[in-house]
Amino acid sequence: MSFVFFDTETTGLQKGFDQIVHFAAIRTDNDLNEIDRFEARCRLMVHIVPHPAAVTTNGIPISRLTDAGLPTHYEMMRQVRAKLLDWTPSIIVGFNSIRFDEEMIRHALFQTLHDPYLTSRNNNCRGDALGLVMAAVADTPSCLVVPLGSEGRLTFRLEALAAANDLDHAMAHDAMADVGATLALCRMVKDGAPDVWQRFVRFSNKAAVAQFVASEDGFLLTEFYGNEPYPSPVVLVGADPEQAANGRLCLRLDIDLDGLVALSDEALKEVLAEKAGPVRRFRINAGPVLTPLYDVPDALLNGRTVDDLETVARRVKDDAALCARIVAAWAAGRTPYERSPHPERRTHDGFPGAADELRRDDFHEVGWAEAVRLVEHFDDDRLRVFGLRLIYLGNRAVLPEALAAEAERALTDRLIEDESGGLTLTAALAETNRLLAAATEEPTRKLLEGYKNWLLDRIERVTAFRRKRLETKTSNAVPS
């Protein structure tokens, strides 16, 4: 199977409210030899306010983000989707991508009326190179040089790893440069820690993960928080009741099992609800870092032996009532999910119905005028909001006045209302002023000053536009 290494540059970190502005990917064969590459950029959508930290991190001036010669976000995502489909099936890999880049892609696909789960369907698999690197260093420290950060701790930032290992990464935070650095690190792990690489490839496949965790008498699960690995010997106790298809619950094997079993139901619920509690949850479709116990270095077993851990694991697995009790207590201690009022936060709130999926597919094949009819017939309110937004941004003139006004109100609310979910113009201005006061390097100051001037102009224009719309109900479009 081929690999697809990818990266995104975005306007910020708010999934659903920020946008991708640069996507890049390299396709390789099974031996990580490059066979194709692709990248696409787009201009800023009128309702998106970039975070000033993203502007300085990516080094992209606001004039470039607003270049009318660039494709629209919708056009870019159509290109990205087409390329990923062309490269399907593949193992799709990014650096810290499962938690961020893939989520940004899923939101972008959903908001442009596409299937958001493209990277995990159609026999695609996925993995995260950050977890791979951390696991490789823990298993075979000599395979990579890991530098120390400013606090004297190991840092796994991509830019720092590339520099420490003499990899070409002259344009850090450029999507294609980051893809190249990620691919180079994976080649080093493949050569220097081949067993870790093989497990990474194996467990990029959801079915392989499900089979492994169900059949093993215990295994090592390595989780990552704040770029720190946290390995735990665990055994599967059941599926997450809320996400049975992909969520799995495991019990740590290095605990006092007799003490846990003796707890009352209420006490058990409280213990399992603790952040670092004995139950660990992971998704089988998210490329988890798993290691058979017989392959785990002794230093990661916390003084226990493999035989001892497997004995505890078999005791747990053989007690179906105990497993059911643990799952029930864990589920009872969870904070109930609250449905967001913002459709941008509800990408994962269920699938559209079959009829809506057909309308969603037809949307891209018809003209703008016919798209209006399709949007009005969506049963899923999320698709209706996003479809109306796409039409407004693509060809406002085809919308009836009432629908155009609805879209304008929603888009301008996003720019100025704190309750709208995203970063507002005034909040961005305050943060820009704060960063300017601390900035000492001239390139950074220049980026921030240009962005500040743009924000001031946008605030003035949007305020005037909303005033005019309220007073005259004219049909002027949202100012770009």
Side-chain angles (χ1 to χ4, degrees), residues 251 255-265 268 315-316 319 322 325-326:
L251 181 70
I255 61 168
D256 176 9
L257 182 60
D258 289 328
L260 190 76
V261 171
L263 294 173
S264 67
D265 288 346
L268 179 63
R315 175 184 168 189
V316 173
D319 192 336
L322 173 61
R325 183 180 177 225
I326 290 172

Side-chain angles (χ1 to χ4, degrees), residues 120 124-126 201-213 244-248 283-288:
S120 57
N124 283 320
C125 304
R126 58 192 189 132
V201 173
R202 175 187 178 188
F203 295 135
S204 69
N205 183 284
K206 169 183 171 178
V209 174
Q211 188 277 331
F212 173 81
V213 300
N246 295 315
R248 294 294 183 272
R283 291 178 293 152
I284 60 174
N285 66 336

Side-chain angles (χ1 to χ4, degrees), residues 277-298:
V279 168
R280 312 310 305 156
R281 178 190 179 277
F282 69 95
R283 291 178 293 152
I284 60 174
N285 66 336
V289 177
L290 310 174
T291 309
L293 287 180
Y294 55 78
D295 277 344
V296 177
D298 291 341

Side-chain angles (χ1 to χ4, degrees), residues 16-17 25 71 131 151 197 229 232 290 340 373 438:
F17 290 103
E151 299 179 353
W197 173 255
S232 306
L290 310 174
S340 172
R373 184 190 66 79

Side-chain angles (χ1 to χ4, degrees), residues 84-95:
L84 290 177
L85 284 174
D86 182 50
W87 287 347
T88 293
S90 292
I91 299 175
I92 299 175
V93 181
F95 196 89

